[in-house]
Amino acid sequence: MLRDYQSLSEQAAALVGDRIRRNPATVLGLATGSTPLGLYRELVKMVRRGVIDFGEVVTFNLDEYYPIAKENPQSYYYYMQRHFWEPAAIPPERAHIPDGNPDDVRASCRDYELKIYRAGGIDLQILGIGVNGHIGFNEPGEELMAKTHLVSLSGETIAANSRFFEKAADVPRMAITMGLGTIMKAREILLLAAGPDKGTAIRETVKGGLSTRVPASLLQAHPRVTVMVDREAARYLR
Ligand code: GLP
């Protein structure tokens, strides 16, 4: 548990920085949302100070809205470009994200899985968590999908994400996301959560049983997960 959002971001950056110094060709899985913004800011500072270099790193983002164009400022592509890929000087050919506007969704999802496989799999996957316990855009339900797929977003997620849009009606209803299998195959996982809204999801993720109703709870079955939370997100852990 970390004191506040700033120390959470610094600790997360220290962990990622350490892995990249050990292996400059690390394959990183990246997340969007407000939680990893501090981490990205700290990593960019480290790049500018010459402490780390992302020149050889390969990245794969968890998810993207559907349908959405890359140029749309609400797309995750745009977010990544602005907050991380560009300022961290990640070569564009090494930065991957699901295509939010493919001609053939199934083929595009298959291709994304293949690219991850060909890159040697993900070494370190960074995750945020939804208020309902989702990771990527794997929503709670009867069953979870293993691979990259198209998903309908839950009402809760649409409501939570509407803060990034002018009108709730503008929030995309669908997304393309890595599956639980894609995420669980990562050799190491770093889950970040901050703020009181994440308290329940974190308690269920860490203390509850494994359930498709709380997709993040499946991480308990992963051999190498670090969960970094601030005080507020840890409020129900005692
Ligand atoms: C979205 C993303 C998730 C993210 C979650 C939480 O639904 N698809 O990857 O973890 O939001 O976002 P935030 O960090 O803004 O709370």
Side-chain angles (χ1 to χ4, degrees):
M1 202 231 326
L2 284 313
R3 193 170 64 248
D4 53 22
Y5 181 67
Q6 181 55 27
S7 41
L8 174 106
S9 303
E10 287 169 11
Q11 281 296 316
L15 188 149
V16 176
D18 172 74
R19 303 303 185 264
I20 288 166
R21 271 191 302 271
R22 285 168 199 259
N23 173 16
T26 293
V27 179
L28 267 186
L30 299 175
T32 48
S34 47
T35 312
L37 283 174
L39 161 65
Y40 294 149
R41 201 178 46 230
E42 293 305 314
L43 287 175
V44 168
K45 277 193 213 162
M46 288 161 81
V47 170
R48 291 193 176 140
R49 273 192 260 121
V51 182
I52 46 170
D53 188 322
F54 283 100
E56 286 180 54
V57 165
V58 176
T59 71
F60 287 93
N61 265 77
L62 279 167
D63 48 16
E64 176 60 285
Y65 288 119
Y66 174 89
I68 202 158
K70 285 181 175 157
E71 304 73 37
N72 186 327
Q74 310 289 0
S75 72
Y76 284 167
Y77 180 95
Y78 197 95
Y79 164 114
M80 289 308 302
Q81 193 77 305
R82 171 163 174 221
H83 296 293
F84 193 53
W85 295 336
E86 234 175 59
I90 297 188
E93 68 280 8
R94 292 176 188 264
H96 305 92
I97 187 162
D99 181 356
N101 217 359
D103 293 333
D104 181 339
V105 174
R106 278 165 175 264
S108 175
C109 291
R110 264 199 313 271
D111 181 56
Y112 200 63
E113 287 285 328
L114 200 60
K115 278 191 186 136
I116 296 173
Y117 176 77
R118 288 200 177 128
I122 293 169
D123 292 309
L124 172 63
Q125 175 67 57
I126 293 152
L127 294 177
I129 185 168
V131 282
N132 61 6
H134 76 219
I135 45 178
F137 268 131
N138 293 278
E139 297 281 32
E142 286 287 309
E143 54 180 29
L144 294 166
M145 303 289 283
K147 295 189 172 168
T148 301
H149 61 285
L150 183 66
V151 64
S152 294
L153 302 180
S154 68
E156 245 171 331
T157 299
I158 292 169
N161 288 353
S162 65
R163 69 187 193 278
F164 299 114
F165 294 79
E166 258 180 46
K167 301 187 274 306
D170 294 344
V171 190
R173 270 30 190 178
M174 299 183 95
I176 292 173
T177 181
M178 282 184 193
L180 249 298
T182 329
I183 295 170
M184 292 292 281
K185 271 190 266 173
R187 288 181 267 278
E188 181 176 9
I189 293 177
L190 172 60
L191 173 68
L192 305 176
D197 295 355
K198 302 292 170 69
T200 306
I202 284 297
R203 185 194 60 215
E204 288 175 6
T205 296
V206 176
K207 296 213 157 169
L210 271 62
S211 167
T212 60
R213 300 269 160 215
V214 184
S217 67
L218 271 74
L219 297 174
Q220 289 179 37
H222 192 283
R224 198 174 179 206
V225 183
T226 305
V227 180
M228 289 188 188
V229 290
D230 70 354
R231 258 193 214 151
E232 293 179 320
R235 66 214 283 238
Y236 299 127
L237 287 186
R238 274 144 276 168

Coordinates of all heavy atoms in Angstrom, one line a residue, residues 50-132:
G50 N 17.7 10.4 -18.9 CA 18.6 9.4 -19.4 C 18.8 8.2 -18.6 O 19.7 7.4 -18.7
V51 N 17.8 7.9 -17.6 CA 17.9 6.8 -16.7 C 17.4 5.5 -17.4 O 17.9 4.4 -17.2 CB 17.0 7.0 -15.5 CG1 17.0 5.9 -14.5 CG2 17.3 8.4 -14.8
I52 N 16.5 5.6 -18.3 CA 16.0 4.5 -19.1 C 15.8 4.9 -20.6 O 15.6 6.1 -20.9 CB 14.7 3.8 -18.6 CG1 13.6 4.8 -18.3 CG2 15.0 2.9 -17.5 CD1 12.3 4.2 -18.1
D53 N 15.8 3.9 -21.4 CA 15.6 4.1 -22.8 C 14.6 3.0 -23.4 O 14.7 1.9 -23.1 CB 17.0 3.8 -23.5 CG 17.0 4.2 -25.0 OD1 16.0 4.0 -25.7 OD2 18.0 4.8 -25.4
F54 N 13.6 3.5 -24.1 CA 12.6 2.6 -24.6 C 12.8 2.2 -26.1 O 11.9 1.7 -26.7 CB 11.2 3.3 -24.5 CG 10.6 3.3 -23.1 CD1 10.7 4.4 -22.3 CD2 10.0 2.1 -22.6 CE1 10.2 4.4 -21.0 CE2 9.5 2.1 -21.3 CZ 9.6 3.2 -20.5
G55 N 14.0 2.6 -26.6 CA 14.3 2.3 -28.0 C 14.1 0.9 -28.4 O 13.8 0.6 -29.6
E56 N 14.3 -0.1 -27.5 CA 14.2 -1.5 -27.9 C 13.0 -2.1 -27.4 O 12.7 -3.3 -27.7 CB 15.4 -2.3 -27.4 CG 16.7 -2.0 -28.2 CD 17.8 -2.8 -27.6 OE1 17.7 -4.1 -27.5 OE2 18.8 -2.2 -27.2
V57 N 12.2 -1.4 -26.6 CA 11.0 -2.0 -26.0 C 9.9 -2.2 -27.0 O 9.8 -1.4 -28.0 CB 10.5 -1.0 -24.8 CG1 9.1 -1.4 -24.4 CG2 11.5 -1.1 -23.6
V58 N 9.1 -3.2 -26.8 CA 8.0 -3.4 -27.7 C 6.7 -3.3 -26.8 O 6.7 -3.8 -25.7 CB 8.0 -4.8 -28.4 CG1 6.7 -5.1 -29.2 CG2 9.2 -5.0 -29.2
T59 N 5.7 -2.6 -27.2 CA 4.5 -2.5 -26.4 C 3.2 -2.9 -27.1 O 3.1 -2.8 -28.3 CB 4.3 -1.0 -25.9 OG1 3.9 -0.2 -27.0 CG2 5.6 -0.4 -25.4
F60 N 2.3 -3.5 -26.2 CA 1.0 -3.9 -26.7 C 0.0 -3.4 -25.7 O 0.0 -3.7 -24.5 CB 0.9 -5.4 -26.7 CG 1.7 -6.1 -27.8 CD1 3.0 -6.5 -27.6 CD2 1.1 -6.2 -29.1 CE1 3.7 -7.1 -28.7 CE2 1.8 -6.8 -30.1 CZ 3.1 -7.2 -29.9
N61 N -0.9 -2.6 -26.2 CA -2.0 -2.1 -25.3 C -3.1 -3.1 -25.2 O -3.4 -3.9 -26.0 CB -2.6 -0.8 -25.9 CG -1.9 0.4 -25.2 OD1 -0.8 0.7 -25.6 ND2 -2.6 1.0 -24.3
L62 N -3.7 -3.0 -24.0 CA -4.8 -3.9 -23.6 C -6.0 -3.8 -24.5 O -6.6 -4.9 -24.9 CB -5.3 -3.6 -22.3 CG -4.6 -4.1 -21.0 CD1 -5.1 -3.3 -19.8 CD2 -4.7 -5.6 -20.9
D63 N -6.4 -2.6 -24.9 CA -7.8 -2.5 -25.5 C -7.9 -1.2 -26.2 O -7.1 -0.3 -26.1 CB -8.8 -2.6 -24.4 CG -8.5 -1.7 -23.1 OD1 -7.7 -0.8 -23.2 OD2 -9.2 -2.0 -22.1
E64 N -9.0 -1.1 -27.0 CA -9.4 0.1 -27.7 C -10.9 0.1 -27.9 O -11.5 -0.9 -28.0 CB -8.7 0.1 -29.1 CG -9.0 1.2 -30.0 CD -8.7 2.6 -29.5 OE1 -9.4 3.1 -28.7 OE2 -7.7 3.2 -30.0
Y65 N -11.5 1.3 -27.9 CA -12.9 1.4 -28.2 C -13.2 0.9 -29.6 O -12.3 0.9 -30.5 CB -13.4 2.8 -28.1 CG -13.4 3.3 -26.7 CD1 -12.7 4.4 -26.3 CD2 -14.3 2.7 -25.7 CE1 -12.7 4.9 -25.0 CE2 -14.3 3.2 -24.4 CZ -13.6 4.3 -24.1 OH -13.6 4.8 -22.8
Y66 N -14.5 0.5 -29.9 CA -14.9 0.1 -31.2 C -16.3 0.6 -31.5 O -17.2 0.4 -30.6 CB -14.9 -1.4 -31.3 CG -15.5 -1.9 -32.6 CD1 -14.7 -2.1 -33.7 CD2 -16.8 -2.2 -32.7 CE1 -15.2 -2.5 -34.9 CE2 -17.4 -2.7 -33.9 CZ -16.6 -2.8 -35.0 OH -17.1 -3.2 -36.2
P67 N -16.6 1.2 -32.6 CA -15.7 1.6 -33.6 C -15.1 3.0 -33.2 O -15.9 3.9 -32.8 CB -16.5 1.7 -34.9 CG -17.9 2.0 -34.4 CD -18.0 1.5 -33.0
I68 N -13.9 3.2 -33.5 CA -13.3 4.5 -33.3 C -12.1 4.7 -34.2 O -11.4 3.7 -34.5 CB -12.9 4.7 -31.8 CG1 -12.8 6.2 -31.4 CG2 -11.6 4.0 -31.4 CD1 -13.0 6.5 -29.9
A69 N -11.9 5.9 -34.7 CA -10.7 6.2 -35.5 C -9.6 6.6 -34.7 O -9.8 7.2 -33.6 CB -11.1 7.3 -36.5
K70 N -8.4 6.3 -35.1 CA -7.1 6.7 -34.4 C -7.1 8.1 -34.1 O -6.6 8.6 -33.1 CB -5.9 6.3 -35.2 CG -5.6 4.8 -35.3 CD -4.4 4.6 -36.1 CE -4.0 3.2 -36.1 NZ -3.3 2.7 -37.2
E71 N -7.5 8.9 -35.1 CA -7.4 10.4 -35.0 C -8.4 11.0 -34.0 O -8.3 12.1 -33.6 CB -7.7 11.1 -36.3 CG -6.8 10.6 -37.5 CD -7.2 9.2 -38.0 OE1 -8.4 8.9 -38.0 OE2 -6.2 8.4 -38.3
N72 N -9.4 10.2 -33.5 CA -10.4 10.7 -32.6 C -9.7 10.9 -31.2 O -9.1 10.0 -30.7 CB -11.5 9.6 -32.4 CG -12.6 10.1 -31.6 OD1 -12.4 10.9 -30.6 ND2 -13.8 9.7 -31.9
P73 N -9.7 12.1 -30.7 CA -9.0 12.4 -29.4 C -9.5 11.5 -28.3 O -8.8 11.4 -27.3 CB -9.3 13.9 -29.2 CG -9.7 14.4 -30.5 CD -10.3 13.3 -31.3
Q74 N -10.6 10.9 -28.4 CA -11.1 10.0 -27.4 C -10.6 8.5 -27.5 O -10.8 7.7 -26.6 CB -12.6 9.9 -27.4 CG -13.3 11.2 -27.4 CD -13.2 11.9 -26.1 OE1 -12.6 11.4 -25.1 NE2 -13.8 13.1 -26.0
S75 N -9.9 8.3 -28.6 CA -9.4 6.9 -28.8 C -8.2 6.7 -27.9 O -7.5 7.6 -27.4 CB -8.9 6.7 -30.3 OG -7.7 7.4 -30.5
Y76 N -8.0 5.4 -27.5 CA -6.9 5.0 -26.7 C -5.6 5.2 -27.5 O -4.5 5.4 -26.9 CB -7.0 3.6 -26.2 CG -8.1 3.5 -25.1 CD1 -8.5 2.2 -24.7 CD2 -8.6 4.6 -24.4 CE1 -9.4 2.1 -23.6 CE2 -9.5 4.4 -23.3 CZ -9.9 3.2 -23.0 OH -10.8 3.0 -21.9
Y77 N -5.7 5.1 -28.8 CA -4.5 5.3 -29.6 C -4.0 6.7 -29.4 O -2.8 7.0 -29.2 CB -4.9 5.1 -31.1 CG -3.7 5.4 -32.1 CD1 -3.0 4.3 -32.5 CD2 -3.4 6.7 -32.5 CE1 -1.9 4.6 -33.4 CE2 -2.4 6.9 -33.4 CZ -1.6 5.8 -33.8 OH -0.6 6.1 -34.7
Y78 N -4.9 7.7 -29.4 CA -4.6 9.1 -29.3 C -4.0 9.3 -27.9 O -3.0 10.0 -27.7 CB -5.9 9.9 -29.5 CG -5.7 11.4 -29.7 CD1 -5.6 11.9 -31.0 CD2 -5.6 12.3 -28.6 CE1 -5.5 13.2 -31.2 CE2 -5.4 13.6 -28.9 CZ -5.4 14.1 -30.2 OH -5.2 15.4 -30.4
Y79 N -4.7 8.7 -26.9 CA -4.2 8.8 -25.5 C -2.8 8.4 -25.4 O -1.9 9.0 -24.7 CB -5.2 8.0 -24.6 CG -4.7 7.7 -23.2 CD1 -5.4 8.2 -22.1 CD2 -3.6 6.8 -22.9 CE1 -5.0 7.8 -20.8 CE2 -3.2 6.5 -21.7 CZ -3.9 7.0 -20.6 OH -3.5 6.6 -19.3
M80 N -2.5 7.2 -25.9 CA -1.1 6.6 -25.8 C -0.1 7.5 -26.5 O 1.0 7.7 -25.9 CB -1.1 5.2 -26.4 CG -1.8 4.2 -25.6 SD -1.4 4.1 -23.8 CE 0.4 3.7 -23.9
Q81 N -0.5 7.9 -27.7 CA 0.5 8.8 -28.4 C 0.8 10.0 -27.6 O 2.0 10.4 -27.5 CB -0.3 9.2 -29.7 CG 0.5 9.8 -30.8 CD 1.3 8.7 -31.5 OE1 2.0 8.0 -31.0 NE2 1.1 8.7 -32.8
R82 N -0.2 10.6 -27.0 CA 0.0 11.9 -26.3 C 0.7 11.7 -24.9 O 1.6 12.4 -24.6 CB -1.4 12.5 -26.1 CG -1.4 13.6 -25.2 CD -2.6 14.4 -25.3 NE -2.6 15.5 -24.3 CZ -3.6 15.8 -23.5 NH1 -4.8 15.3 -23.7 NH2 -3.5 16.7 -22.6
H83 N 0.3 10.7 -24.2 CA 0.8 10.5 -22.8 C 2.1 9.7 -22.7 O 2.8 9.7 -21.7 CB -0.2 10.0 -21.9 CG -1.4 10.9 -21.7 ND1 -1.3 12.1 -21.1 CD2 -2.7 10.7 -22.2 CE1 -2.5 12.7 -21.1 NE2 -3.3 11.9 -21.8
F84 N 2.3 8.8 -23.7 CA 3.5 7.9 -23.5 C 4.3 7.6 -24.7 O 5.5 7.9 -24.7 CB 2.9 6.6 -22.9 CG 4.0 5.7 -22.4 CD1 5.0 6.2 -21.5 CD2 4.2 4.4 -22.8 CE1 6.0 5.4 -21.0 CE2 5.2 3.6 -22.3 CZ 6.1 4.1 -21.4
W85 N 3.7 7.1 -25.8 CA 4.6 6.7 -26.9 C 5.5 7.8 -27.4 O 6.7 7.6 -27.6 CB 3.7 6.2 -28.1 CG 2.9 4.9 -27.8 CD1 3.2 4.0 -26.9 CD2 1.8 4.5 -28.6 NE1 2.2 3.0 -27.0 CE2 1.4 3.3 -28.0 CE3 1.0 5.1 -29.6 CZ2 0.2 2.6 -28.5 CZ3 -0.1 4.4 -30.1 CH2 -0.5 3.2 -29.5
E86 N 4.9 9.0 -27.6 CA 5.7 10.0 -28.2 C 6.7 10.6 -27.2 O 7.9 10.6 -27.5 CB 4.8 11.1 -28.7 CG 5.1 11.5 -30.2 CD 4.1 12.5 -30.7 OE1 4.0 13.6 -30.1 OE2 3.4 12.1 -31.7
P87 N 6.2 11.0 -26.0 CA 7.2 11.6 -25.0 C 8.2 10.6 -24.6 O 9.3 11.0 -24.2 CB 6.3 12.1 -23.9 CG 5.0 11.5 -24.0 CD 4.8 11.2 -25.5
A88 N 7.9 9.3 -24.6 CA 8.9 8.3 -24.1 C 9.7 7.8 -25.3 O 10.6 6.9 -25.1 CB 8.2 7.1 -23.5
A89 N 9.5 8.4 -26.5 CA 10.3 8.1 -27.7 C 10.2 6.6 -28.0 O 11.3 5.9 -28.2 CB 11.7 8.6 -27.6
I90 N 9.0 6.0 -28.0 CA 8.9 4.6 -28.4 C 8.7 4.6 -29.9 O 7.9 5.2 -30.5 CB 7.7 4.0 -27.7 CG1 8.0 4.0 -26.2 CG2 7.4 2.6 -28.2 CD1 7.0 3.3 -25.3
P91 N 9.6 3.8 -30.6 CA 9.5 3.8 -32.1 C 8.1 3.3 -32.5 O 7.6 2.3 -32.0 CB 10.6 2.7 -32.5 CG 11.5 2.7 -31.3 CD 10.7 3.0 -30.1
P92 N 7.4 4.1 -33.4 CA 6.0 3.8 -33.7 C 5.8 2.3 -34.2 O 4.8 1.7 -33.9 CB 5.7 4.7 -34.9 CG 6.8 5.8 -34.8 CD 8.0 5.3 -34.1
E93 N 6.8 1.7 -34.9 CA 6.6 0.4 -35.3 C 6.6 -0.6 -34.2 O 6.3 -1.8 -34.4 CB 7.6 0.0 -36.4 CG 9.1 -0.1 -36.0 CD 9.8 1.3 -35.9 OE1 9.1 2.3 -36.0 OE2 11.0 1.2 -35.7
R94 N 7.0 -0.2 -33.0 CA 7.1 -1.1 -31.9 C 5.9 -0.9 -30.9 O 5.8 -1.7 -29.9 CB 8.4 -0.9 -31.1 CG 9.6 -1.3 -31.8 CD 10.8 -1.0 -31.0 NE 12.0 -1.2 -31.7 CZ 12.7 -2.3 -31.7 NH1 12.4 -3.3 -30.9 NH2 13.8 -2.4 -32.4
A95 N 5.1 0.1 -31.2 CA 3.9 0.4 -30.3 C 2.7 -0.2 -30.9 O 2.3 0.3 -32.0 CB 3.8 1.9 -30.1
H96 N 2.0 -1.1 -30.2 CA 0.8 -1.8 -30.8 C -0.4 -1.5 -29.9 O -0.3 -1.4 -28.7 CB 1.0 -3.3 -30.9 CG 2.2 -3.7 -31.7 ND1 3.5 -3.9 -31.1 CD2 2.4 -3.8 -33.0 CE1 4.4 -4.2 -32.0 NE2 3.7 -4.2 -33.2
I97 N -1.5 -1.4 -30.6 CA -2.8 -1.3 -29.9 C -3.9 -1.9 -30.8 O -3.7 -1.8 -32.1 CB -3.1 0.2 -29.6 CG1 -4.3 0.4 -28.7 CG2 -3.2 1.0 -30.9 CD1 -4.4 1.7 -28.1
P98 N -4.9 -2.5 -30.3 CA -5.9 -3.1 -31.2 C -6.5 -2.0 -32.1 O -6.7 -0.8 -31.7 CB -7.0 -3.6 -30.2 CG -6.3 -3.9 -29.0 CD -5.2 -2.9 -28.9
D99 N -6.7 -2.4 -33.4 CA -7.3 -1.4 -34.3 C -8.8 -1.2 -34.0 O -9.6 -2.2 -33.9 CB -7.2 -2.1 -35.7 CG -7.7 -1.2 -36.8 OD1 -8.3 -0.1 -36.5 OD2 -7.6 -1.6 -38.0
G100 N -9.2 0.0 -33.8 CA -10.5 0.3 -33.4 C -11.5 0.4 -34.5 O -12.7 0.7 -34.3
N101 N -11.0 0.3 -35.7 CA -11.9 0.4 -36.9 C -11.5 -0.6 -38.0 O -11.3 -0.1 -39.1 CB -11.8 1.9 -37.4 CG -13.1 2.4 -37.9 OD1 -14.1 1.6 -37.8 ND2 -13.1 3.6 -38.3
P102 N -11.4 -1.8 -37.7 CA -10.9 -2.8 -38.7 C -12.1 -3.2 -39.7 O -13.2 -3.1 -39.3 CB -10.5 -4.0 -37.9 CG -11.4 -3.9 -36.7 CD -11.7 -2.5 -36.4
D103 N -11.7 -3.6 -40.9 CA -12.7 -4.1 -41.8 C -13.2 -5.4 -41.3 O -14.4 -5.7 -41.4 CB -12.0 -4.4 -43.2 CG -11.6 -3.0 -43.8 OD1 -12.2 -2.0 -43.5 OD2 -10.6 -3.1 -44.6
D104 N -12.3 -6.2 -40.8 CA -12.7 -7.5 -40.3 C -12.3 -7.7 -38.9 O -11.1 -7.9 -38.6 CB -12.0 -8.6 -41.2 CG -12.4 -10.0 -40.9 OD1 -12.8 -10.3 -39.7 OD2 -12.2 -10.9 -41.7
V105 N -13.2 -7.6 -38.0 CA -12.9 -7.6 -36.5 C -12.2 -8.9 -36.1 O -11.1 -8.9 -35.4 CB -14.1 -7.4 -35.7 CG1 -13.8 -7.5 -34.2 CG2 -14.7 -6.0 -35.9
R106 N -12.7 -10.0 -36.5 CA -12.2 -11.3 -36.1 C -10.7 -11.5 -36.6 O -9.9 -11.9 -35.8 CB -13.0 -12.5 -36.7 CG -14.2 -12.8 -35.8 CD -15.1 -13.6 -36.6 NE -16.3 -14.0 -35.8 CZ -16.3 -15.2 -35.2 NH1 -15.4 -16.1 -35.3 NH2 -17.4 -15.5 -34.5
A107 N -10.5 -11.1 -37.9 CA -9.2 -11.2 -38.4 C -8.2 -10.3 -37.7 O -7.1 -10.7 -37.4 CB -9.2 -10.9 -39.9
S108 N -8.7 -9.1 -37.4 CA -7.8 -8.2 -36.7 C -7.5 -8.6 -35.3 O -6.3 -8.5 -34.8 CB -8.6 -6.8 -36.7 OG -7.9 -5.9 -36.0
C109 N -8.4 -9.2 -34.6 CA -8.2 -9.8 -33.2 C -7.2 -10.9 -33.3 O -6.2 -11.0 -32.5 CB -9.5 -10.3 -32.6 SG -10.6 -9.0 -32.2
R110 N -7.4 -11.8 -34.3 CA -6.4 -12.9 -34.5 C -5.0 -12.4 -34.7 O -4.0 -12.9 -34.2 CB -6.9 -13.8 -35.6 CG -7.7 -15.0 -35.2 CD -7.7 -16.1 -36.3 NE -8.0 -15.5 -37.6 CZ -9.2 -15.3 -38.2 NH1 -10.3 -15.7 -37.5 NH2 -9.3 -14.9 -39.4
D111 N -4.9 -11.4 -35.6 CA -3.7 -10.8 -36.0 C -3.0 -10.2 -34.7 O -1.7 -10.3 -34.6 CB -3.9 -9.7 -37.0 CG -2.7 -9.1 -37.5 OD1 -1.8 -9.9 -38.0 OD2 -2.5 -7.9 -37.4
Y112 N -3.7 -9.6 -33.8 CA -3.2 -9.0 -32.6 C -2.5 -10.1 -31.8 O -1.4 -9.9 -31.3 CB -4.3 -8.2 -31.9 CG -3.7 -7.2 -30.9 CD1 -3.0 -6.1 -31.4 CD2 -3.9 -7.2 -29.6 CE1 -2.4 -5.1 -30.6 CE2 -3.4 -6.3 -28.7 CZ -2.7 -5.2 -29.2 OH -2.2 -4.3 -28.4
E113 N -3.3 -11.2 -31.6 CA -2.7 -12.3 -30.8 C -1.4 -12.8 -31.4 O -0.5 -13.1 -30.7 CB -3.8 -13.4 -30.7 CG -5.0 -13.1 -29.8 CD -4.6 -13.2 -28.4 OE1 -3.8 -14.0 -27.9 OE2 -5.3 -12.5 -27.6
L114 N -1.4 -12.9 -32.7 CA -0.3 -13.4 -33.4 C 0.9 -12.5 -33.2 O 2.1 -13.0 -33.0 CB -0.6 -13.5 -34.9 CG 0.3 -14.5 -35.7 CD1 0.2 -15.9 -35.2 CD2 -0.2 -14.4 -37.2
K115 N 0.7 -11.2 -33.3 CA 1.8 -10.2 -33.1 C 2.4 -10.4 -31.7 O 3.6 -10.3 -31.5 CB 1.2 -8.8 -33.2 CG 1.1 -8.4 -34.7 CD 0.9 -6.9 -34.7 CE 0.6 -6.5 -36.2 NZ -0.5 -5.6 -36.3
I116 N 1.5 -10.6 -30.7 CA 2.0 -10.7 -29.3 C 2.9 -12.0 -29.2 O 4.0 -12.0 -28.7 CB 0.9 -10.8 -28.3 CG1 0.1 -9.5 -28.3 CG2 1.4 -11.2 -26.9 CD1 -1.2 -9.5 -27.4
Y117 N 2.4 -13.1 -29.9 CA 3.1 -14.3 -29.9 C 4.4 -14.2 -30.5 O 5.5 -14.6 -30.0 CB 2.2 -15.4 -30.6 CG 2.8 -16.7 -30.7 CD1 2.9 -17.6 -29.7 CD2 3.4 -17.1 -32.0 CE1 3.5 -18.8 -29.8 CE2 4.0 -18.3 -32.1 CZ 4.1 -19.2 -31.1 OH 4.7 -20.4 -31.2
R118 N 4.4 -13.5 -31.7 CA 5.7 -13.4 -32.5 C 6.7 -12.5 -31.7 O 7.9 -12.7 -31.9 CB 5.4 -12.8 -33.8 CG 4.7 -13.8 -34.7 CD 4.9 -13.4 -36.2 NE 4.3 -14.4 -37.0 CZ 3.4 -14.2 -38.0 NH1 3.0 -13.0 -38.2 NH2 2.9 -15.2 -38.7
A119 N 6.2 -11.6 -30.9 CA 7.1 -10.8 -30.1 C 7.7 -11.5 -28.9 O 8.5 -11.0 -28.2 CB 6.4 -9.5 -29.6
G120 N 7.2 -12.8 -28.8 CA 7.7 -13.6 -27.7 C 6.9 -13.6 -26.4 O 7.3 -14.0 -25.4
G121 N 5.7 -13.0 -26.5 CA 4.8 -12.9 -25.4 C 5.1 -11.6 -24.5 O 6.2 -11.0 -24.7
I122 N 4.2 -11.3 -23.6 CA 4.3 -10.1 -22.8 C 5.2 -10.4 -21.6 O 4.9 -11.4 -20.9 CB 2.9 -9.5 -22.5 CG1 2.3 -9.1 -23.8 CG2 3.0 -8.4 -21.4 CD1 0.8 -8.7 -23.7
D123 N 6.2 -9.6 -21.3 CA 7.0 -9.8 -20.2 C 6.4 -9.1 -18.9 O 6.4 -9.7 -17.9 CB 8.4 -9.1 -20.4 CG 9.2 -9.9 -21.4 OD1 9.4 -11.1 -21.3 OD2 9.7 -9.2 -22.4
L124 N 5.9 -7.9 -19.1 CA 5.3 -7.2 -18.0 C 4.0 -6.5 -18.4 O 4.1 -5.7 -19.3 CB 6.3 -6.2 -17.4 CG 5.7 -5.2 -16.4 CD1 5.3 -6.0 -15.1 CD2 6.8 -4.2 -16.0
Q125 N 2.9 -6.9 -17.8 CA 1.6 -6.3 -18.2 C 1.2 -5.4 -17.1 O 1.1 -5.7 -15.9 CB 0.6 -7.4 -18.4 CG -0.8 -6.9 -18.6 CD -1.0 -6.2 -20.0 OE1 -0.7 -6.8 -21.0 NE2 -1.4 -5.0 -20.0
I126 N 1.0 -4.1 -17.5 CA 0.4 -3.1 -16.6 C -1.1 -3.1 -16.7 O -1.6 -3.1 -17.8 CB 1.0 -1.7 -16.9 CG1 2.5 -1.7 -16.6 CG2 0.3 -0.6 -16.1 CD1 3.3 -0.8 -17.4
L127 N -1.7 -3.1 -15.5 CA -3.2 -3.1 -15.5 C -3.8 -2.1 -14.6 O -3.2 -1.8 -13.5 CB -3.7 -4.5 -15.0 CG -3.5 -5.8 -15.8 CD1 -4.0 -7.0 -15.0 CD2 -4.2 -5.7 -17.1
G128 N -4.9 -1.5 -15.0 CA -5.7 -0.7 -14.1 C -6.9 -1.7 -13.7 O -6.9 -2.9 -14.1
I129 N -7.9 -1.2 -13.1 CA -9.1 -2.0 -12.8 C -10.3 -1.1 -12.8 O -10.3 0.0 -12.4 CB -8.9 -2.7 -11.4 CG1 -10.0 -3.6 -11.1 CG2 -8.7 -1.6 -10.3 CD1 -9.8 -4.6 -9.9
G130 N -11.4 -1.7 -13.4 CA -12.6 -1.0 -13.4 C -13.3 -1.1 -12.1 O -13.0 -1.9 -11.3
V131 N -14.3 -0.2 -11.8 CA -15.0 -0.2 -10.6 C -15.7 -1.5 -10.4 O -16.0 -2.0 -9.2 CB -16.1 1.0 -10.4 CG1 -15.4 2.3 -10.1 CG2 -16.9 1.1 -11.7
N132 N -16.1 -2.2 -11.5 CA -16.7 -3.5 -11.4 C -15.8 -4.7 -11.4 O -16.2 -5.8 -11.6 CB -17.8 -3.6 -12.5 CG -17.2 -3.6 -13.9 OD1 -16.0 -3.5 -14.0 ND2 -18.0 -3.6 -14.9

